[in-house]
């Protein structure tokens, strides 16, 4: 039944989770205009009213007098409220009543002479406590024993939780101020994990409200300064990689994976070389960067006759050791690839496997999957075969070593052959896109070394072309057998790709990048546009890419006229690792940008040479020549720059934590 409210009624209601007392000024259109004890005039819906004292105040008085009386009434009601013992009252009535009139309960609490102030005080107690009774208009519901016990248990949990929160807040404050403190309280690790998630800006983290409450009580940090707090606590390094936390990338391997690895090393120490061809007498060598430890590919070259050579590409046989769906396999799949970052390498497999047990170390017998290609020095392929093998690497060389020996055989002859192979690909439509590469290295002391390599060296060209050859032949072999296989393909662009005959042109490279489609995965062969081949895969880095393990496994089974993966299984696996690889590529790209930006912080105010690439409504995109990187500059009033125009820019600001560097035109 609707209740009419009149001027002078004293009402109580919740406002922002607090009980407020006020007097009715006017009641109109189902809205009550109320003057509160804090001198506010607000509109209140009748449904919010907890208690009403009809015509309790003389509205002819001045406003200050009304407020004084409201405050006096509030004090009196609070005093009455503080004396209410709902537990005793509940013990008196439960079992006898399921519902009781408010007035009757008031009389049981005080006496038959109880006033409206007593009513209001009891209502305050009931709606505040929420354990023994519940308010329903003029009726009070008496909670049963089970409901009360559940409510009491929940209340105890809330009290315990509040106690833990204040203990954590006190510890956090003490630790942040480097003060001596007691041992960390329970849930400290949960607190630190929640702080890490907050610093990494992980969306929808369940402990966000909880940790924000602790921060508010401790007054140690805001959400924006949590990173600095974690550095102060020694939890974070000043250069902490937040992408690993944000994208939940596993840095360590499980105990089960290490246990599996130990068993693997014991059971297959020498590897099973049955049905393998013995290539240990070949002059086999690896070519890698100086710091490379996970060597998964090796090369060899034999002169068969005056116009016939055998080029060998030997890939460590990871499929021989890593069982599908084992712990090692699942954890490698979760990573999808090894992360090579300027300051850190996170391997796809434990280093005991990738850098020792399966790495192509000199003087050690190793199981491989070898592609042996018989061809002429002019790059004409006469025959090829893919076979399990056992090899023994004679030399581990660096790119620099081979560049110094490039005029000596076998490297001179390998350069001749691989140059011819590349030329044949170009004639088939391949796009060679030479682009300077910036190499970032961060030492243990955090010193940053930045070097720029203008173009591919002779040794790098040899290795690159040999790997493309091996991948192409593996895909060709698989495509001829019509089974599902992990292929890589690239659709042609919608417009012709500009090319440069020699060297690197920033503008042409930019236009190539904008027009070129991304390479994608497929279980059926399709043309790879930029490589100029009709079928392509990647099998040459099984220690570093999970895609290559899938290809190696399926290929080895095809050699025995079998299939390991069905079409559906392989399709699902490719979808999973492509999704994961996108995550890992983001981590690497962002980390490289972080360290480049940190390096640039030293050069704020410095002039750099740049080339204009494009114009947009509010900015130009330019190429910073010294660092081979794209950047934006704002469009200056009255200035019209053209693509390919050489300009000078000033680095205005670089902020590594936000991965931002800003340039402007030097006029």
């Amino acid at each position: 039944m609707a209740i009419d409210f009149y001027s002078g009624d004293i009402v109580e209601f919740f406002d922002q989770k607090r009980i407020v007392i006020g007097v009715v000024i006017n009641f109109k259109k189902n809205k009550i205009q109320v003057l509160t004890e804090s001198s506010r005039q607000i509109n209140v819906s009748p449904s919010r009213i907890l208690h009403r004292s009809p015509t309790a105040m003389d509205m002819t008085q001045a406003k200050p007098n009304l407020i004084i009386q409201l405050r006096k009434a509030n004090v009196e009601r609070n005093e009455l409220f503080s004396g209410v013992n709902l537990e005793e009252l509940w013990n008196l009535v439960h079992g006898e009543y399921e519902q009781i009139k408010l007035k009757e309960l008031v009389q049981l609490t005080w006496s038959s002479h109880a006033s409206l102030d007593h009513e209001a005080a009891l209502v305050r107690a009931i709606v505040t406590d929420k354990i023994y009774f519940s308010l329903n208009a003029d009726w009070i519901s008496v909670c049963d024993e089970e409901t009360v016990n559940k409510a009491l248990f929940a209340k105890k949990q809330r009290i315990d939780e509040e106690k833990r929160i204040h203990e954590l807040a006190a510890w956090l404050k003490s630790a942040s101020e480097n003060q001596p403190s007691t041992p960390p309280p329970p849930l400290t690790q949960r607190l630190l994990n929640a702080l890490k998630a907050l610093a990494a800006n992980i969306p929808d983290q369940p402990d966000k409200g909880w940790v924000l409450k602790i921060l508010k009580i401790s007054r140690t940090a805001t959400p924006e300064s949590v990173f600095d707090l974690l550095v102060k606590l020694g939890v974070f390094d000043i250069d902490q990689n937040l992408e690993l936390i944000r994208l939940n990338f596993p840095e360590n391997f499980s105990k089960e994976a290490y246990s599996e690895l130990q068993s693997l090393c014991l059971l297959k120490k020498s590897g099973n070389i049955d049905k393998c061809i013995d290539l240990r007498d070949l002059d086999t060598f690896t070519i890698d960067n100086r710091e490379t430890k996970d060597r998964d590919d090796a090369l060899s070259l034999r002169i068969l006759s005056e116009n016939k050579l055998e080029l060998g590409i030997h890939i460590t046989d990871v499929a021989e050791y890593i069982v599908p769906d084992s712990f090692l396999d699942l954890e490698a799949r979760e990573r999808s690839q090894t992360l090579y970052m300027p300051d850190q390498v996170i391997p796809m497999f434990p280093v005991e496997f990738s850098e020792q047990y399966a790495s192509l170390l000199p003087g050690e017998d190793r199981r491989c999957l070898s592609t042996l290609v018989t061809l002429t020095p002019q790059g004409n392929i006469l025959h090829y075969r893919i076979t399990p093998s056992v090899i023994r690497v004679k030399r581990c060389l660096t790119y620099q070593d081979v560049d110094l020996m490039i005029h000596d055989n076998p490297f001179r002859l390998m350069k001749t052959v691989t140059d011819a192979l590349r030329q044949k690909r170009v004639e088939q439509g391949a796009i060679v896109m030479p682009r300077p590469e910036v190499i970032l290295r961060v030492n243990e002391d955090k010193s940053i070394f930045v070097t720029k390599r203008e173009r591919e060296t002779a040794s790098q060209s040899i290795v690159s072309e040999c790997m493309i050859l091996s991948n192409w032949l593996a895909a060709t072999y698989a495509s001829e057998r019509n089974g599902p296989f992990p292929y890589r393909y690239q659709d042609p662009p919608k417009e012709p790709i500009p090319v440069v005959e020699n060297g690197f042109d920033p503008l042409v490279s930019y236009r190539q990048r904008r027009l070129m489609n991304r390479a994608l995965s497929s279980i059926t062969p399709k043309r790879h546009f930029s490589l100029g081949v009709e079928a392509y895969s990647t099998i040459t880095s099984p220690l570093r890419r999970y895609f290559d393990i899938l290809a190696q496994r399926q290929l080895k089974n095809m050699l025995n006229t079998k299939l390991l993966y069905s079409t559906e299984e392989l399709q699902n696996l490719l979808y999973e690792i492509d999704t994961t690889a996108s995550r890992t590529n983001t981590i690497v790209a962002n980390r490289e940008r972080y360290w480049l930006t940190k390096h640039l912080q030293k050069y704020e105010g410095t002039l750099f040479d740049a080339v204009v690439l494009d114009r947009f409504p509010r900015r130009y995109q330019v190429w910073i020549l010294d660092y081979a990187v794209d950047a934006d500059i704002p469009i200056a009033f009255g200035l019209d720059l053209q693509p390919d125009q050489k300009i000078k820019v000033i680095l205005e600001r670089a902020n590594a934590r936000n991965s931002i560097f800003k340039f402007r035109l030097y006029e």
Side-chain angles (χ1 to χ4, degrees):
M1 183 176 67
I3 299 175
D4 290 331
F5 291 84
Y6 299 96
S7 177
D9 291 353
I10 293 179
V11 291
E12 295 195 358
F13 54 92
F14 273 118
D15 187 33
Q16 297 180 352
K17 299 182 180 181
R18 186 174 65 90
I19 295 177
V20 174
I21 188 171
V23 61
V24 175
I25 300 173
N26 193 14
F27 178 54
K28 190 176 182 180
K29 294 184 179 179
N30 210 32
K31 285 291 181 184
I32 310 168
Q33 188 178 14
V34 177
L35 172 67
T36 71
E37 61 168 327
S38 59
S39 194
R40 292 171 58 214
Q41 287 191 23
I42 58 176
N43 290 324
V44 181
S45 168
S47 62
R48 290 171 58 190
I49 301 301
L50 299 172
H51 184 264
R52 166 176 170 258
S53 301
T55 59
M57 293 186 68
D58 179 5
M59 297 305 290
T60 62
Q61 302 176 79
K63 181 178 177 182
N65 290 337
L66 294 174
I67 292 170
I68 290 171
Q69 290 184 52
L70 283 172
R71 290 174 180 174
K72 181 181 177 182
N74 191 46
V75 170
E76 291 174 352
R77 291 180 178 191
N78 272 335
E79 288 177 356
L80 293 170
F81 160 74
S82 64
V84 175
N85 189 325
L86 290 179
E87 183 180 4
E88 288 184 1
L89 191 58
W90 178 79
N91 284 326
L92 184 65
V93 299
H94 94 277
E96 185 175 348
Y97 296 94
E98 289 185 4
Q99 280 193 327
I100 186 170
K101 279 283 190 178
L102 175 60
K103 291 184 181 296
E104 292 180 41
L105 198 58
V106 169
Q107 290 172 357
L108 286 173
T109 307
W110 283 284
S111 71
S112 58
H113 303 293
S115 67
L116 290 172
D117 287 336
H118 291 82
E119 274 190 19
L122 185 58
V123 168
R124 289 187 183 193
I126 290 170
V127 298
T128 303
D129 180 75
K130 300 178 183 176
I131 294 176
Y132 299 100
F133 301 94
S134 61
L135 184 66
N136 183 15
D138 287 337
W139 286 92
I140 304 298
S141 297
V142 182
C143 298
D144 60 50
E145 190 168 354
E146 182 182 356
T147 302
V148 168
N149 287 336
K150 287 181 179 178
L152 287 171
F153 180 73
K155 181 179 180 180
K156 183 180 182 303
Q157 285 188 311
R158 289 194 300 272
I159 292 170
D160 290 345
E161 177 69 7
E162 284 297 313
K163 181 181 177 182
R164 285 192 292 266
I165 284 175
H166 280 82
E167 286 176 349
L168 287 166
W171 173 84
L172 187 60
K173 184 172 180 60
S174 176
S176 69
E177 294 172 352
N178 295 317
Q179 295 177 356
S181 62
T182 56
L187 303 182
T188 298
Q189 192 55 55
R190 176 186 168 191
L191 170 62
L192 295 177
N193 289 340
L195 289 170
K196 290 178 186 177
L198 191 61
N201 198 26
I202 296 175
D204 304 323
Q205 55 147 323
D207 280 340
K208 185 173 183 179
W210 178 76
V211 75
L212 287 175
K213 187 173 183 179
I214 294 171
L215 287 177
K216 184 177 180 180
I217 294 170
S218 67
R219 298 183 180 180
T220 50
T222 63
E224 294 74 26
S225 64
V226 165
F227 181 90
D228 297 325
L229 173 63
L230 289 167
V231 171
K232 189 185 295 185
L233 294 175
V235 176
F236 273 180
D237 180 84
I238 190 66
D239 297 302
Q240 189 74 30
N241 191 340
L242 292 181
E243 289 292 330
L244 295 174
I245 300 171
R246 185 177 295 119
L247 297 176
N248 194 29
F249 192 88
E251 296 186 62
N252 301 307
F253 293 88
S254 69
K255 292 179 181 178
E256 291 83 0
Y258 276 114
S259 176
E260 204 170 72
L261 179 60
Q262 187 177 17
S263 300
L264 179 70
C265 294
L266 289 172
L267 293 173
K268 298 185 177 181
K269 182 68 177 174
S270 59
N272 179 13
I273 62 173
D274 293 343
K275 299 181 181 179
C276 294
I277 65 168
D278 191 341
L279 301 178
R280 284 175 286 190
D281 290 337
L282 284 180
D283 179 21
T284 310
F285 49 87
T286 64
I287 307 175
D288 288 291
N289 289 312
R290 195 178 304 278
E291 62 273 11
T292 299
K293 296 178 182 178
D294 49 348
R295 300 182 175 95
D296 49 15
D297 59 87
L299 302 174
S300 63
L301 187 70
R302 283 198 300 180
I303 299 176
L304 303 178
S305 65
E306 183 178 350
N307 199 39
K308 190 183 294 185
L309 310 168
E310 182 190 75
L311 176 62
I313 304 107
H314 314 277
I315 310 301
T316 187
D317 192 352
V318 173
E320 171 69 15
Y321 305 110
I322 304 299
V323 178
D325 295 328
S326 62
F327 285 107
L328 285 168
D329 181 62
L330 292 174
E331 293 187 33
R333 189 194 307 173
E334 184 182 11
R335 290 161 174 80
S336 84
Q337 62 187 12
T338 294
L339 269 65
Y340 294 97
M341 296 173 286
D343 59 328
Q344 184 183 14
V345 175
I346 303 179
M348 188 173 73
F349 289 111
V351 293
E352 293 86 349
F353 180 78
S354 60
E355 296 182 6
Q356 298 173 31
Y357 187 64
S359 184
L360 302 183
L361 301 177
E364 298 287 342
D365 292 354
R366 289 290 184 264
R367 281 287 306 261
C368 282
L369 191 62
S370 294
T371 303
L372 302 173
V373 189
T374 304
L375 72 176
T376 68
Q378 294 76 35
N380 297 315
I381 296 174
L382 307 175
H383 174 72
Y384 77 90
R385 64 172 170 157
I386 302 170
T387 179
S389 66
V390 57
I391 71 166
R392 184 180 297 160
V393 169
K394 304 299 188 293
R395 295 174 287 172
C396 287
L397 305 171
T398 67
Y399 289 110
Q400 293 83 354
D401 294 334
V402 175
D403 286 334
L404 291 173
M405 298 185 290
I406 198 64
H407 298 297
D408 302 326
N409 278 332
F411 309 111
R412 178 177 59 82
L413 195 49
M414 291 184 85
K415 183 69 166 66
T416 299
V417 170
T418 53
D419 281 352
L421 289 170
R422 175 171 292 190
Q423 183 56 38
K424 288 182 181 295
R425 288 195 302 108
V426 170
E427 291 168 1
Q428 295 298 316
I431 304 293
V432 179
M433 298 186 292
R435 185 182 177 189
E437 180 184 7
V438 170
I439 302 169
L440 285 159
R441 293 287 181 268
V442 180
N443 289 338
E444 289 184 4
D445 64 357
K446 300 294 183 74
S447 54
I448 307 170
F449 289 88
V450 182
T451 56
K452 188 175 79 165
R453 187 173 64 210
E454 290 293 345
R455 63 186 65 188
E456 193 176 52
T457 67
S459 59
Q460 289 162 341
S461 175
I462 289 172
V463 173
S464 173
E465 209 58 45
C466 286
M467 297 306 115
I468 291 173
L469 176 64
S470 179
N471 290 329
W472 167 54
L473 291 176
T476 300
Y477 181 91
S479 66
E480 291 170 352
R481 279 142 187 86
N482 297 319
F485 191 73
Y487 296 98
R488 297 288 287 172
Y489 73 95
Q490 185 185 44
D491 287 329
K494 295 179 180 179
E495 300 177 27
I497 293 285
V499 295
V500 176
E501 291 296 328
N502 294 298
F504 168 75
D505 183 291
L507 183 58
V508 171
S509 174
Y510 169 72
R511 289 175 175 169
Q512 287 175 336
R513 285 183 282 137
R514 283 179 61 88
L515 291 171
M516 202 75 75
N517 291 305
R518 287 192 310 117
L520 301 171
S521 300
S522 171
I523 58 170
T524 56
K526 299 179 185 180
R527 179 174 173 78
H528 196 296
F529 171 77
S530 63
L531 293 178
V533 293
E534 296 305 316
Y536 195 71
S537 181
T538 60
I539 66 164
T540 52
S541 293
L543 289 178
R544 310 174 192 185
R545 285 192 303 252
Y546 193 82
F547 185 101
D548 297 42
I549 298 174
L550 294 181
Q552 192 178 71
R553 285 173 177 163
Q554 194 78 331
L555 185 61
K556 285 186 67 180
N557 279 270
M558 283 181 168
L559 293 173
N560 294 317
T561 65
K562 293 187 262 183
L563 288 176
L564 176 62
Y565 297 113
S566 68
T567 298
E568 183 179 0
E569 288 171 331
L570 194 56
Q571 187 72 67
N572 290 338
L573 284 168
L574 288 181
Y575 176 79
E576 180 182 341
I577 63 174
D578 282 350
T579 302
T580 307
S582 174
R583 174 185 66 162
T584 55
N585 290 335
T586 297
I587 292 171
V588 172
N590 288 345
R591 199 58 178 165
E592 288 178 348
R593 186 175 177 90
Y594 172 86
W595 284 110
L596 176 60
T597 309
K598 184 152 189 173
H599 170 75
L600 287 172
Q601 286 177 176
K602 300 184 297 184
Y603 297 101
E604 288 183 356
T606 302
L607 279 177
F608 293 95
D609 292 318
V611 176
V612 178
L613 300 177
D614 210 343
R615 176 174 180 156
F616 297 94
R618 296 183 179 180
R619 62 182 176 87
Y620 290 103
Q621 189 164 346
V622 301
W623 177 261
I624 308 299
L625 293 172
D626 285 344
Y627 294 103
V629 66
D630 290 341
D632 293 337
I633 62 170
I635 291 180
F637 179 74
L639 192 65
D640 185 22
L641 302 178
Q642 299 300 318
D644 209 28
Q645 185 174 341
K646 308 297 186 295
I647 59 173
K648 288 189 179 294
V649 295
I650 294 176
L651 177 62
E652 283 192 312
R653 185 168 69 90
N655 184 305
R657 179 51 52 197
N658 296 323
S659 294
I660 293 172
F661 45 76
K662 290 188 175 181
F663 292 87
R664 65 173 173 82
L665 183 67
Y666 174 70
E667 301 178 45

